[in-house]
Amino acid sequence: YLDCCKSIGFTVGIADAESSFALAKSKYEGGNDLSAYAEKNLTKIQLLYEKSVDLFGEEATPSLLGGINLVGAFKEANHGVQAERLLSKLAAISHRVHGPDHDLTKTTVFMIEQFRMRLVTINGQARVGIFQALRYEECGEKCVVRGPITDPRDEEDEKSLMAKTQILIIYPGTPVICHGLENATHLDEKIGDVRGFNSDTK
């Protein structure tokens, strides 16, 4: 992001990226809580994005770059729903303004594909690693997952398996719709983000 901003002379974006680096440095040196840092960083980047839109309009390249940076901040703070909604908006704008072959359009399309992967781990199993959840089976009682995922990913080495849904731990920030809650019925059928795992929650 910093290199992109420097290449087009986007001073607001340069200041934004450099400030993020400074915050990250202070986080690790000072031992600050990660979630608190992520929320603080999100607020700052969101304000800068809004300022860019006010100055240049939402279709301008600086605003698109700032929007991509904001998507990253949403994800870091586990706001997956907002991240995916903004990313879809940015992809549509870039496709309309720059066309399907522009680097910004390709970047947003690639990010959408990555963000829409639902990642899980399997609780209490000898299998370790990250898996991609593909689909529910048996009325949601079980889920087909594929993995473990390596970096870089090699899908030829991955295996598909069926796991009980109740032993899957969904990655923080993943958009979900809650069903069958006992202790928070007001959230039933509502879309939200996974913020953590609690085996006692019903």
Side-chain angles (χ1 to χ4, degrees):
Y1 176 67
L2 177 60
D3 291 338
C4 289
C5 292
K6 285 182 176 179
S7 69
I8 63 173
F10 180 31
T11 55
V12 173
I14 293 171
D16 169 20
E18 291 178 342
S19 177
S20 295
F21 291 148
L23 276 173
K25 183 179 179 181
S26 67
K27 174 191 68 171
Y28 289 112
E29 291 179 348
N32 295 329
D33 180 70
L34 178 60
S35 61
Y37 158 76
E39 290 292 342
K40 180 179 180 181
N41 192 49
L42 171 60
T43 300
K44 175 187 66 68
I45 293 177
Q46 193 161 17
L47 288 172
L48 286 169
Y49 171 67
E50 291 170 357
K51 182 181 293 185
S52 178
V53 171
D54 288 341
L55 287 172
F56 306 111
E58 66 177 7
E59 295 184 351
T61 297
S63 297
L64 291 172
L65 289 171
I68 291 173
N69 198 34
L70 177 56
V71 167
F74 275 134
K75 287 292 285 185
E76 185 178 355
N78 295 328
H79 294 271
V81 173
Q82 288 175 284
E84 291 192 19
R85 286 174 177 169
L86 177 57
L87 190 53
S88 295
K89 176 182 176 181
L90 296 173
I93 292 173
S94 184
H95 188 281
R96 182 175 67 251
V97 175
H98 298 295
D101 297 323
H102 193 274
D103 286 344
L104 277 174
T105 306
K106 291 180 178 179
T107 296
T108 54
V109 169
F110 175 76
M111 289 175 68
I112 287 173
E113 293 173 353
Q114 296 299 304
F115 280 22
R116 286 181 176 170
M117 283 198 303
R118 303 312 185 211
L119 303 179
V120 300
T121 57
I122 301 177
N123 187 35
Q125 297 290 309
R127 300 177 186 276
V128 293
I130 303 170
F131 293 79
Q132 181 180 358
L134 300 177
R135 65 184 180 277
Y136 288 113
E137 298 281 358
E138 300 182 17
C139 298
E141 294 295 319
K142 294 185 179 181
C143 182
V144 177
V145 300
R146 184 175 180 84
I149 298 173
T150 58
D151 185 17
R153 188 170 186 178
D154 185 358
E155 295 190 40
E156 291 186 1
D157 284 344
E158 296 175 7
K159 305 295 183 183
S160 294
L161 59 99
M162 186 89 73
K164 291 183 179 180
T165 301
Q166 64 185 15
I167 66 171
L168 297 180
I169 300 176
I170 304 172
Y171 259 53
T174 301
V176 294
I177 297 178
C178 299
H179 295 283
L181 295 177
E182 296 178 12
N183 299 335
T185 56
H186 64 288
L187 296 177
D188 251 356
E189 307 298 328
K190 301 290 180 63
I191 189 170
D193 311 295
V194 173
R195 297 296 170 86
F197 172 73
N198 185 341
S199 60
D200 297 325
T201 300
K202 295 182 179 181

